[in-house]
Amino acid sequence: MRDEEILRLYRERCEEAITETQRQYGALCGAIARNILQNGQDAEECVNDALHRAWCSIPPEEPRSLAAYLGRITRNVALNRLEKQNRQKRGGGEITLIWEELGEMLPDRDTPEQHWERRAIAAALERFLRGLTPEERILFLRRYWWAEPLKTAAAHCGIPARRAKSILERLRRTLRGELEKEEITL
C-alpha cells in the first residue's frame, strides 16, 4: 500500500492504518528503536508507542514522507525511553558514543529559549546533508540518525569501519566549520 493510501486511512480514522503502517514501516522503526535501546522487548514497546503517537497526530499532521515522520517519532520515543531508563546514570553503549562524537555541536537541553537556534541548526544541517555525496549522506544518517554501530553503518555502505570512521570525522569537522561560518553558536 502506498503512503497516500495509508495517510487516507489515518484521515478516515480507520484502524487498518496502524496495520498497514506496521507492515510497511515496522522493520524500519524496529531497527531504529533497537539501535538506540539495545533491547528487543523495549524496542517493540517503543514501536507500539510510536504507532500510537502517529495515530494521535495524523491528522492534523500531514507528513510529506511517512517513513521519515515515523522514523522521527520512533527515534524520539526511544531516546525518551533511554533517558528515563538512565536518569541516574546517563548513557552507556552506542548512544553515549554517538553523543560524544557529535558532542559540542548539539545543545545540552531542549528549552524554549533554544527554539530559534535549533531551527537554524536544523536548516544548516539540511543544507550540509544536501551537499554530501550519497555514500557520505547515507553513512552520516545511518550513524547519527538511525544510531547504528559504526561497523554496521560501514558494512551497509560497503566500506571498512576504519574508512567510515575517518569519513565521519571529516564530516563532523566540515559540519562544525559550516556552523561556525553561519555564526550558529552552540
Side-chain angles (χ1 to χ4, degrees), residues 82-100:
L82 182 68
E83 183 176 18
K84 187 182 238 182
Q85 290 172 349
N86 298 304
R87 193 158 285 164
Q88 300 298 329
K89 179 183 172 192
R90 178 124 185 144
E94 203 66 32
I95 294 301
T96 300
L97 182 58
I98 287 170
W99 289 126
E100 286 173 3

Side-chain angles (χ1 to χ4, degrees), residues 55-110:
W55 175 259
C56 293
S57 65
I58 304 172
E61 293 290 326
E62 284 290 328
R64 286 185 287 170
S65 167
L66 191 55
Y69 186 74
L70 294 167
R72 185 186 67 190
I73 291 173
T74 303
R75 183 176 186 273
N76 289 339
V77 169
L79 289 171
N80 288 341
R81 182 178 290 261
L82 182 68
E83 183 176 18
K84 187 182 238 182
Q85 290 172 349
N86 298 304
R87 193 158 285 164
Q88 300 298 329
K89 179 183 172 192
R90 178 124 185 144
E94 203 66 32
I95 294 301
T96 300
L97 182 58
I98 287 170
W99 289 126
E100 286 173 3
E101 288 175 2
L102 287 177
E104 298 166 8
M105 289 186 272
L106 299 173
D108 289 337
R109 283 279 171 215
D110 207 20

Side-chain angles (χ1 to χ4, degrees), residues 131-168:
L132 300 179
T133 66
E135 178 187 74
E136 292 170 333
R137 187 179 314 113
I138 290 168
L139 180 62
F140 191 89
L141 290 174
R142 291 187 83 90
R143 177 68 175 145
Y144 298 120
W145 180 255
W146 289 23
E148 280 190 346
L150 181 63
K151 288 181 181 180
T152 305
H156 178 83
C157 293
I159 59 176
R162 184 179 218 150
R163 179 165 177 237
K165 184 177 180 180
S166 70
I167 290 171
L168 290 169

